[in-house]
Amino acid sequence: MTSVISNASTTRNFPRFPPELWLSIFSLATNVPGLLSCDGPTPSDLPRPIVKENEQRLLRESLITKRNIILVCRTWHALATELLYRSVLVTRPATLSSLLVALDRRSSGAAHPAHVGWWTRRLDVLIQDDRCEASDYSLLANVIRRFPNLSIVTLSMPMLPYNDCWLRQLPTSVVMALAESCGPSLRVFDCSESILRPCRKDLMKLIAAAPNLSVLRCPICSPSAGDKFPSTRLDVPVMTNLLSVSLMSVFLRDYLPEDRDANHFPALRQLTYDCIPPPFLDHTWKNFVKLSCANVTTVHLDFPLQGDSLQKELDLLSECCRSLNDLVVYLRSWTEIKPNLSLPPSVSYLGLYSKLLKTPAFHFKQLFTALRTMSGSKLKTVRLLHADTVEDLQENWSLLANELADITSCITFRVEENEGHPLLT
């Protein structure tokens, strides 16, 4: 006798998978380590434009995965919507209007009683178009007002039509939307790569509204009429939680408090600054560094000048930054590293980056000569941060063998390639 087993008799009722586990799986699948941290991304020694490019790539990849997840079924859509809106990336003005419509529609839907913008922690507006219309910035301000819990904001904005190329002011409506909507939650504000930037008055209002700000990258403020009258300028708020700031020595005036002998950055631990003449070792800059950077442990120095004046910058850091441990210097090429440099005595790690992409052999020769004669009482590690350093060395190995042998025999510190592996063995 042949028994017939129907499909119905073999059907099994599997236990329902807990939604909490789905959420954990979705979170692991779309996680971008460090980019949603309240203290901002993990600090990198690479130049900021390179770091931003990598962050944008990771955010795009994560966003694609999130979109694929919510399209699987209604259940996954409902569970993963929070993850979808946790980080928002805008790269074209045309997406602003559709984003605003989506935010307003979802905020009133029965399935989503809470505004989905409530979940957003990071906003990157990285628009590469030559110009935006004034209406685009109004839309951006309205979008920002839907995000009350933003922690990280990165803006890279093109010019407004007919805007003064000298002023280059980010519309006040955008800055005020940040200050009024998410000031208390804001931890990172970055417009260091933007053509448009806040005027000083707007930036001071934003800082005052953001007492928990820990990372500030706005080295240049757009000039405004009020800057011509110091008596009407807003004073720099005391920023008790600011850990990292990016400055340009020649534009320091934007960050000077009324009391030039007061320290308004008491928690500062990381300083990034560009050396741009004229002069970058004047009394005001030196006094500011001495007052505000005494406890700084990390300095990133963008040095676009001839290497003959680099020692002056190192002397300034030696005198004013007694707690300095990590020093990173961005140079035009390895030829700007001169022999007999004296590092700040507290520095144990030195990162070096050459902006020249393809390094010829004679550049390496000058670099190795400089390393062989460099002095630093606590120096333990020198890392060459350019990703192609090893490849460039291999191509020129026959021309550099003697220099490599000389430096290996006389240096007391470790020389590393960009990933931290020994470069000289």
Side-chain angles (χ1 to χ4, degrees), residues 177-192:
L178 289 170
E180 295 167 2
S181 301
C182 57
S185 65
L186 194 61
R187 300 293 190 276
V188 179
F189 178 68
D190 187 344
C191 64
S192 57

Side-chain angles (χ1 to χ4, degrees), residues 131-149:
R131 293 183 183 274
C132 281
E133 300 296 330
S135 58
D136 295 326
Y137 289 95
S138 297
L139 281 172
L140 176 58
N142 286 330
V143 166
I144 289 173
R145 292 187 183 278
R146 270 64 174 179
F147 300 140
N149 296 311

Side-chain angles (χ1 to χ4, degrees), residues 299-303 310 314 327-331 350-353:
V299 168
H300 289 183
L301 171 61
D302 194 337
F303 195 78
L310 178 58
L314 299 179
L327 174 62
V328 179
V329 185
Y330 309 125
L331 300 145
L350 175 65
L352 297 174
Y353 183 88

Side-chain angles (χ1 to χ4, degrees), residues 140 236 243 250 254 263 266 299 306 345 355 381 386:
L140 176 58
V236 180
L243 299 175
V250 74
D254 292 326
N263 178 14
V299 168
Q306 292 184 350
K355 296 179 181 179
T381 303
H386 199 290

